Amino acid sequence: MRYLTSGESHGPQLTTIIEGLPAGMPLHDTDINNELARRQKGYGRGRRMQIEKDTVEIVGGIRHGYTLGSPVGLVVENNDWKHWTKIMGQEPLAPNEEDEVKRKVTRPRPGHADLNGAIKYGHRDMRNVLERSSARETTVRVAAGAVAKKLLKELGINIASHVTEIGGVASSVKAYDSLENLKEITENSPVRCLDPEAEKKMMNAIDEAKQQGDSIGGVVEVIAEGMPSGVGSYVHYDRKLDAKLASAIMSINAFKGVEIGIGFEAASKPGSEVHDEILWTEERGYYRRTNRLGGLEGGMTTGMPIIVRGVMKPIPTLYKPLQSVDIETKEPFTASIERSDSCAVPAAAVVAENVVAWELASAIVEQFYSDRFETLKELVEQQRTFAREF
Ligand SMILES: Cc1cc2nc3c(=O)[nH]c(=O)nc-3n(C[C@H](O)[C@H](O)[C@H](O)COP(=O)(O)O)c2cc1C
């Protein structure tokens, strides 16, 4: 499966085309809209999230509630476009309109794509960079992920996420009864955190950052239960599922690190406290006493829950001055802001969940025959039985 996205932050719409989905899979726009709404929530978001109420329009590949096997086209309109039609329009501008209309950006923000993108593509107006490097694009990545999530759900694979740290405040709740229970708690938490004490402190930290014109980052954890064992492969570097998951997390705007299972903690522990002992019962087949390696060994699933964490740096657009240089005058200046969030970690957890869903669904579609969804379902079930009886 693959998808491309197109669209600028203040353009008319964001678009994605998904290719490679099986035919006969149920899919409704509500499956996607639920995920889009989850991405827009979260304590610490700025005004943009009040302007945009994202909803998807399915423009291809679905008939009467089922995929056709043809590419699925999804469109999310930018409600703010009406205020940007001149600034972001496709028509050439008359020379006398240039300065007035373009809202030209010549002051790069440290930590954003502005300066490097301008140098790379030769843009003297960095709006040409920031309109696409903006995390607004994650809207359609979530839309594509929502489709993948639907596929996983139909195959009995459940996926969720939670925020484990914001601005140095860590959640101390690591256990949860079930993924459903985790979802229930996090959906009602403004910061998507399992720990009510930490939740309050995280919200205070966000308020404080906002007051000081600053921003804060954090850590999110994604969990997927129900993956059959043996998905992915050890035989070649580009088929390793852990590598694909790491790449997916790192591709989210502002993500600077990934861990699978206990991750970096493994550096300070002996092997006997890292590797997951193998047990067997007739009823369950093979399983592990622990799940420190986060459901992945040798680039393949073990059948235990997949656990992937990602760290998000603080958002680069600050109200608090940071020094930079105007590319026209070469004069130093401090701070120029587009509208900005002070913390987007809760939203980023939803993005992470959806990009992980995409990789897991793609790995399944790649590994099993997947033209017909009903057959794919049977094959995944067969793989579970095979692994249990092996
Ligand atoms: C959900 C989400 C929302 C974001 N919102 C903002 C924002 O409001 N302002 C900003 O400067 N950066 C924001 N970012 C981060 C930038 O998009 C990101 O830092 C930028 O694209 C540069 O890429 P890099 O940080 O990966 O190097 C956001 C990221 C995510 C995941």
Side-chain angles (χ1 to χ4, degrees):
M1 282 204 304
R2 59 202 163 125
Y3 71 96
L4 287 176
T5 77
S6 165
E8 275 66 43
S9 180
H10 297 98
Q13 66 182 44
L14 295 152
T15 310
T16 183
I17 298 180
I18 303 171
E19 207 277 314
L21 277 169
M25 183 186 103
L27 186 67
H28 200 269
D29 57 8
T30 49
D31 298 316
I32 301 165
N33 287 336
N34 287 343
E35 291 303 313
L36 295 181
R38 291 177 72 228
R39 193 197 77 97
Q40 293 197 284
K41 289 201 295 192
Y43 201 72
R45 306 302 303 276
R47 224 175 70 76
R48 181 80 194 261
M49 288 307 111
Q50 288 152 28
I51 299 170
E52 301 294 351
K53 287 278 168 277
D54 293 329
T55 51
V56 76
E57 194 189 342
I58 300 177
V59 293
I62 308 287
R63 187 161 184 235
H64 306 316
Y66 289 89
T67 54
L68 298 171
S70 48
V72 169
L74 306 176
V75 165
V76 178
E77 280 182 18
N78 285 324
N79 295 331
D80 213 14
W81 164 242
K82 51 186 174 291
H83 301 120
W84 291 79
T85 48
K86 267 273 182 190
I87 304 160
M88 291 300 295
Q90 285 135 30
E91 321 69 38
L93 289 175
N96 63 341
E97 283 181 311
E98 290 249 331
D99 289 343
E100 173 204 351
V101 165
K102 271 178 96 176
R103 279 186 66 176
K104 190 170 174 179
V105 178
T106 59
R107 299 177 154 197
R109 293 162 296 174
H112 221 296
D114 307 345
L115 183 59
N116 309 326
I119 292 171
K120 176 175 168 64
Y121 291 105
H123 292 307
R124 301 301 307 175
D125 177 0
M126 287 182 291
R127 177 160 302 285
N128 293 341
V129 178
L130 68 89
E131 283 289 335
R132 180 65 185 167
S133 63
S134 156
R136 178 81 188 131
E137 190 262 353
T138 61
T139 308
V140 268
R141 294 200 67 194
V142 167
V147 174
K149 230 176 155 182
K150 175 70 173 177
L151 182 143
L152 295 175
K153 190 175 168 203
E154 293 288 319
L155 299 175
I157 299 156
N158 199 356
I159 186 158
S161 66
H162 62 124
V163 169
T164 61
E165 195 173 323
I166 286 183
V169 179
S171 165
S172 58
V173 178
K174 310 265 182 257
Y176 44 89
D177 294 340
S178 64
L179 271 201
E180 288 316 312
N181 170 248
L182 177 144
K183 284 184 194 176
E184 207 180 303
I185 299 170
T186 53
E187 289 310 310
N188 289 309
S189 163
V191 285
R192 297 196 170 278
C193 179
L194 279 174
D195 177 351
E197 284 304 308
E199 174 186 289
K200 278 188 226 131
K201 290 184 190 155
M202 286 173 181
M203 287 162 74
N204 288 341
I206 293 169
D207 288 342
E208 210 172 294
K210 197 170 179 178
Q211 250 172 26
Q212 291 172 5
D214 220 327
S215 59
I216 48 178
V219 178
V220 305
E221 180 173 277
V222 180
I223 303 143
E225 288 183 355
M227 278 295 281
S229 53
V231 176
S233 182
Y234 63 94
V235 302
H236 210 244
Y237 70 91
D238 57 356
R239 293 178 61 191
K240 296 185 181 199
L241 186 53
D242 45 2
K244 290 181 182 180
L245 291 170
S247 167
I249 294 285
M250 287 299 289
S251 74
I252 306 170
N253 310 46
F255 273 65
K256 296 297 138 202
V258 193
E259 289 185 315
I260 291 181
I262 61 169
F264 279 57
E265 224 186 295
S268 60
K269 292 198 181 269
S272 56
E273 289 175 30
V274 171
H275 301 296
D276 302 307
E277 288 183 307
I278 301 172
L279 309 177
W280 184 90
T281 63
E282 186 145 10
E283 192 199 2
R284 256 181 104 170
Y286 302 98
Y287 66 100
R288 308 309 175 97
R289 195 190 297 282
T290 51
N291 187 29
R292 297 166 185 141
L293 294 182
L296 289 149
E297 284 172 343
M300 295 162 294
T301 51
T302 63
M304 296 294 283
I306 306 285
I307 299 174
V308 187
R309 267 186 302 284
V311 55
M312 183 183 187
K313 74 182 185 187
I315 277 169
T317 309
L318 305 180
Y319 291 81
K320 184 179 188 166
L322 268 191
Q323 192 178 316
S324 181
V325 176
D326 189 301
I327 63 163
E328 285 306 325
T329 64
K330 307 293 188 284
E331 291 295 325
F333 74 95
T334 46
S336 101
I337 53 146
E338 286 273 311
R339 211 165 25 207
S340 186
D341 305 337
S342 49
C343 176
V345 175
V350 177
V351 179
E353 198 179 307
N354 280 282
V355 302
V356 165
W358 177 267
E359 292 307 324
L360 298 180
S362 298
I364 286 180
V365 164
E366 187 181 315
Q367 185 152 327
F368 302 96
Y369 168 88
S370 56
D371 284 347
R372 293 188 300 277
F373 191 59
E374 280 311 309
T375 313
L376 174 65
K377 256 171 123 168
E378 284 165 25
L379 291 173
V380 169
E381 213 34 68
Q382 264 177 36
Q383 172 71 8
R384 289 188 177 112
T385 310
F386 179 80
R388 198 166 47 240
E389 292 175 352
F390 189 73

